[in-house]
Amino acid sequence: MRSLSYHKTTPIFRFFALTSVVLLLFTLFSNVLTARALTDRSTNGSRLITIHDRGQDRGLMTNATSLRDAFKEANIPLDKNDLVEPGLDEQLVANNYEVNVYRARPVMIVDGAVRQKVMSPYQTAEQITKNAGVTLHDEDTTTISRSEDIVTDGSGLRLTIDRATALTLVLYGKKIDAYTQSTTVGDMMAKKSISLGKDDTLSVPATTPIIAGMNVEIWRNGKQTVTEEKVIAFDTDKIQDADRDLGYREVKTAGENGKKNVTYEIEMRNGTEVGRVEIQSVVTQEAKKQVEVVGAKAKSFGGSCSEWMAAAGITDLNNANYLIGKESGCNPYSVNKSSGACGVGQALPCSKTGCAMGDGACQTIWMNSYVMGRYGSWAAAANHHRQFGWY
């Protein structure tokens, strides 16, 4: 017959067993309470928001549907330049949120001789300048420091921009707006990983100092193609308005220049272009016509041809009548459709008289001055016209 036996448990074992049971029950109870709390929160619309603001954390329960309303409800002030993530007007749908507040502080942007003070919540130079509308190129360098001149810069940060030198780089016919902090052309090319081939020619020595606005060109000897962007000038349609005086002009629709890419085959010799032939042209942006309203109402100055000649002091009426008759018929509004010459004396360009269209007296005075100055007399001018057909 097998004998029965048992092991006697020690007090320390009973303590650990009891502790494990208690911890298990506590965990189950906590989970139940958490689940109930989340259920209650989602039922009544309340949510937990933890705000991280200037190194301090703050929690709040709210029924607000946006952070803007939640901040207003909790009387948390915000400046218009402060940055809040997530956004203030983003719809709140989750049960809890982690919110970061970046407070704006004064930043003095020093860009050469230009100083601009802004309020910015951003931390990097790229973000600060972009928010302030200041363009940075990749080659520009920036430094951010605490402002030491409170009188000039105010308290806050000082962002100093060291601009790279701008130049035009022409690589085998293609123009590039380039920027560099280098002091010589050779150093600039090295930093931009530009190397010369055996048939390449550099337009300036590699030791040439970098100067703002300079051109640096690299060409390859022999025939090659280059493409250049050209401007297409816009046309103008003019609408004549008989109710408006001559000289009136109003732009109804502004014109816009177009663009086209023109490809050439060029021949280079020792870095110098010796020939060029256009092989293709592609319009990339159509020009838009300009529409103008111009005055066409003739102004009446009055008087007759004989009165105008008298006002001009012309005494050789026979030759004056001949020449004026051949030129314009003494019509102060006459315009030659081919050349654009106008007025009593058919002045070319029309503007050289300084007279208005229709002002016969002014035009005849100018004509008399021209005849006497060029030919010495109306008779000589008329004879020249008879011989050559012009004066």
Side-chain angles (χ1 to χ4, degrees):
M1 185 176 185
R2 183 179 298 175
S3 62
L4 297 175
S5 64
Y6 67 93
H7 298 282
K8 186 176 180 181
T9 60
T10 63
I12 187 72
F13 177 80
R14 288 197 300 272
F15 171 77
F16 280 118
L18 180 61
T19 301
S20 299
V21 172
V22 171
L23 288 174
L24 177 62
L25 292 175
F26 179 77
T27 301
L28 292 174
F29 183 69
S30 297
N31 289 339
V32 170
L33 290 179
T34 301
R36 180 173 296 177
L38 291 175
T39 302
D40 291 342
R41 269 211 304 263
S42 54
T43 302
N44 61 26
S46 179
R47 53 184 53 85
L48 173 64
I49 296 178
T50 303
I51 300 172
H52 308 285
D53 183 6
R54 290 173 287 196
Q56 295 184 348
D57 295 340
R58 173 178 177 178
L60 60 91
M61 298 294 297
T62 180
N63 292 317
T65 57
S66 71
L67 287 177
R68 186 181 301 277
D69 291 339
F71 275 63
K72 186 177 180 180
E73 189 179 274
N75 293 319
I76 300 175
L78 286 175
D79 183 82
K80 64 179 181 179
N81 296 302
D82 292 341
L83 177 65
V84 178
E85 293 178 346
L88 285 173
D89 296 310
E90 183 177 323
Q91 189 75 14
L92 299 179
V93 293
N95 289 322
N96 55 77
Y97 283 88
E98 299 286 331
V99 178
N100 294 313
V101 179
Y102 302 99
R103 297 291 179 175
R105 75 278 198 218
V107 180
M108 177 63 73
I109 301 176
V110 181
D111 187 3
V114 179
R115 305 171 75 90
Q116 179 182 355
K117 188 174 183 178
V118 299
M119 294 293 295
S120 179
Y122 297 101
Q123 308 301 310
T124 68
E126 290 75 12
Q127 292 173 318
I128 294 171
T129 52
K130 182 179 180 180
N131 184 247
V134 177
T135 301
L136 280 183
H137 302 291
D138 291 340
E139 296 81 358
D140 296 333
T141 59
T142 59
T143 55
I144 298 179
S145 60
R146 285 286 175 187
S147 176
E148 297 180 357
D149 188 348
I150 298 178
V151 175
T152 304
D153 298 342
S155 61
L157 299 179
R158 176 188 175 102
L159 191 161
T160 304
I161 303 174
D162 180 15
R163 290 291 184 181
T165 304
L167 68 149
T168 299
L169 191 59
V170 182
L171 295 177
Y172 311 108
K174 183 176 179 61
K175 288 186 177 181
I176 302 171
D177 292 329
Y179 303 87
T180 184
Q181 294 281 358
S182 298
T183 56
T184 66
V185 170
D187 186 47
M188 178 271 295
M189 293 176 59
K191 288 184 177 178
K192 292 185 180 296
S193 300
I194 300 173
S195 57
L196 295 178
K198 64 184 178 100
D199 294 325
D200 292 345
T201 301
L202 183 61
S203 62
V204 295
T207 55
T208 303
I210 295 289
I211 301 174
M214 72 184 299
N215 278 14
V216 177
E217 303 184 14
I218 297 175
W219 292 98
R220 180 161 294 169
N221 288 327
K223 288 186 177 181
Q224 55 203 285
T225 59
V226 298
T227 300
E228 298 178 358
E229 186 175 75
K230 300 287 187 180
V231 173
I232 305 174
F234 62 80
D235 294 327
T236 301
D237 285 343
K238 294 186 177 182
I239 302 172
Q240 294 191 342
D241 187 345
D243 294 326
R244 302 282 189 177
D245 291 331
L246 291 171
Y248 174 84
R249 175 179 172 272
E250 179 187 359
V251 177
K252 300 297 288 186
T253 304
E256 293 183 14
N257 289 331
K259 297 178 182 178
K260 63 180 178 180
N261 287 332
V262 183
T263 302
Y264 301 92
E265 181 182 75
I266 65 173
E267 184 174 358
M268 300 296 298
R269 191 176 302 146
N270 298 323
T272 302
E273 182 180 327
V274 296
R276 171 179 291 232
V277 178
E278 181 179 329
I279 58 177
Q280 182 172 273
S281 178
V282 178
V283 176
T284 57
Q285 179 178 323
E286 295 285 352
K288 296 182 180 180
K289 281 188 176 182
Q290 179 159 297
V291 180
E292 299 178 0
V293 176
V294 295
K297 182 180 180 181
K299 183 178 180 181
S300 176
F301 289 89
S304 63
C305 196
S306 59
E307 290 174 333
W308 300 337
M309 285 191 285
I314 299 173
T315 56
D316 187 354
L317 299 181
N318 287 334
N319 284 304
N321 278 321
Y322 164 80
L323 194 55
I324 291 174
K326 288 294 185 179
E327 288 298 302
S328 66
C330 208
N331 179 4
Y333 296 103
S334 174
V335 178
N336 187 303
K337 293 183 179 179
S338 299
S339 66
C342 74
V344 171
Q346 290 293 280
L348 183 66
C350 188
S351 59
K352 71 192 298 183
T353 66
C355 303
M357 288 293 287
D359 191 346
C362 178
Q363 294 172 10
T364 306
I365 291 171
W366 173 86
M367 186 179 184
N368 181 62
S369 176
Y370 171 80
V371 166
M372 299 305 290
R374 184 177 179 89
Y375 297 99
S377 70
W378 279 88
N383 288 334
H384 188 279
H385 192 279
R386 290 186 183 97
Q387 183 178 357
F388 299 103
W390 56 274
Y391 81 106

